[in-house]
Amino acid sequence: MAIRRLIDLPHYDTIIRVPHHEITLPVTGDYHLGQTLSLLTMGRGNPCLRHNETQGQLTLNTPRGPVALAATRSGETLRVVVTGSAAEWIEPLLPGLFGLEDDLTGFAPEGRLGRIADELAGLRLPRLPAVFDRLVQIVLQQLIQFRDACRGWRLLVHRYGEEVPHSGGLYYAPTAETLAGLAVYQLMECDILPKHARVILTLAKQAAALERLWESGADPAARERLCEHLLRQPGVGPWTVGYLRGAGLGDADALVLGDYGHPHHVAYFFTGKERSDDDEMQQLLAPYAPHRYRVLSLLILGTPPPPRRGPRRASQRDRFR
């Protein structure tokens, strides 16, 4: 299934008017840039990420400073233009960031799931070289509708972030240092809930330590150290950490527990039941370890959810668009 064109990028080439690094990454097999970047989205108006089927622009705050990335898929290569103070630091981490190091070994589903996997064969799980920006985005999504989380993110970035020169409206997210200097009421002015604001401000003060724990994902044990640390923080639970693991840390086997819609969606696909719970979801996904988050992503992107009952709640399908 070809993902629909999300947004035109008329300013794509303007980002290279400033000093930059240009890197060409080899692409082998099926790979879809748009599908891959959709796993990092915060709505169509995300000021830090925009993409279509073959092009993408995104920004990151890293331990070495901010970077802006402009990527183009062409044939068997991915051309990436990198600007910013962390350009040299991030260069060896780009394959992980764009999902090119995602390992599908042993993933060969059959039947209906196999057909969906074939339709979305270009989907890869990104592994971000820095985690704080993504962690803020995920905290904002806790227990609220996705559109409200996206609105808070947009307002926060536009008020406290910085526009990338010559980019046509692409923004760097506010740095951890900037956020750590704010008060709860200042985040609330961006339509952010007080409980989310308090968690974000607490994590902002720990951002340097979080990035050291992550170590750009180079050490396989780093993900476990980071996640164990996060689970000890007030306001950070299994849902936040599971979502971060799958949609940020490149963990193909991540489980997102405590989500309103995931168990229903998984059960509806495998059994036809419209309602389920975390226990049944884990049972249904167990045969697909170590690719349980990959299966969840395929189901959310490639299959219809169960019929709605009552008021609409936050949808992971929305989070991928």
Side-chain angles (χ1 to χ4, degrees):
M1 181 182 71
I3 197 167
R4 61 187 176 80
R5 189 172 183 84
L6 294 175
I7 186 170
D8 290 325
L9 303 180
H11 301 284
Y12 177 79
D13 288 328
T14 62
I15 199 170
I16 67 173
R17 293 179 184 173
V18 297
H20 64 277
H21 289 242
E22 185 172 328
I23 300 99
T24 300
L25 303 174
V27 177
T28 58
D30 295 311
Y31 176 77
H32 195 293
L33 179 63
Q35 291 173 4
T36 298
L37 292 181
S38 73
L39 299 180
L40 302 174
T41 191
M42 278 295 286
R44 299 186 184 115
N46 183 358
C48 303
L49 170 66
R50 51 199 185 190
H51 64 89
N52 56 36
E53 293 182 359
T54 60
Q55 295 180 336
Q57 298 174 340
L58 66 155
T59 62
L60 286 171
N61 286 308
T62 80
R64 304 293 179 88
V67 290
L69 308 166
T72 303
R73 168 72 192 275
S74 178
E76 298 304 309
T77 63
L78 187 69
R79 171 187 173 235
V80 185
V81 174
V82 188
T83 64
S85 58
E88 292 186 5
W89 176 85
I90 204 172
E91 181 174 344
L93 306 173
L94 292 177
L97 167 59
F98 288 103
L100 297 175
E101 295 180 342
D102 184 18
D103 186 2
L104 279 77
T105 300
F107 186 64
E110 300 177 346
R112 291 173 61 211
L113 182 60
R115 290 191 292 273
I116 294 164
D118 289 342
E119 292 171 355
L120 295 169
L123 178 70
R124 297 292 181 271
L125 301 184
R127 187 181 67 241
L128 294 172
V131 298
F132 179 73
D133 292 353
R134 187 62 174 150
L135 187 55
V136 172
Q137 293 174 349
I138 293 172
V139 168
L140 289 174
Q141 297 177 53
Q142 293 173 345
L143 297 174
I144 66 170
Q145 290 195 19
F146 182 61
R147 65 186 181 189
D148 295 331
C150 292
R151 174 176 170 79
W153 174 251
R154 289 195 303 270
L155 292 173
L156 183 70
V157 171
H158 284 139
R159 181 170 295 192
Y160 296 109
E162 182 178 344
E163 187 172 2
V164 179
H166 309 293
S167 68
L170 191 69
Y171 274 73
Y172 295 115
T175 65
E177 292 79 8
T178 296
L179 293 177
L182 301 179
V184 169
Y185 80 87
Q186 291 174 292
L187 271 66
M188 291 174 62
E189 291 174 346
C190 299
D191 285 357
I192 293 173
L193 295 176
K195 62 181 180 181
H196 293 161
R198 286 190 286 270
V199 175
I200 290 169
L201 296 182
T202 297
L203 294 173
K205 297 180 173 108
Q206 303 179 34
L210 296 176
E211 302 296 359
R212 286 194 297 271
L213 285 169
W214 177 226
E215 294 179 346
S216 308
D219 178 0
R223 184 167 59 206
E224 303 310 317
R225 291 195 297 268
L226 173 63
C227 293
E228 288 172 4
H229 176 83
L230 286 171
L231 285 170
R232 295 194 293 268
Q233 308 310 307
V236 178
W239 182 90
T240 302
V241 171
Y243 188 17
L244 178 68
R245 292 178 73 113
L249 305 185
D251 183 358
D253 202 41
L255 277 172
V256 186
L257 302 177
D259 191 88
Y260 174 79
H262 288 170
H264 309 325
H265 202 136
V266 171
Y268 187 61
F269 176 80
F270 285 110
T271 72
K273 291 173 55 177
E274 296 180 9
R275 290 295 175 264
S276 186
D277 56 28
D278 280 346
D279 289 339
E280 184 176 23
M281 179 180 72
Q282 291 184 77
Q283 293 172 9
L284 292 170
L285 292 177
Y288 300 99
H291 295 280
R292 289 174 292 182
Y293 189 81
R294 190 185 312 282
V295 170
L296 177 64
S297 300
L298 290 171
L299 296 185
I300 298 301
L301 279 171
T303 70
R308 287 192 334 209
R309 308 285 185 188
R312 189 175 189 274
R313 297 289 300 271
S315 166
Q316 186 74 5
R317 175 181 288 270
D318 292 337
R319 296 186 183 111
F320 288 0
R321 293 184 173 181

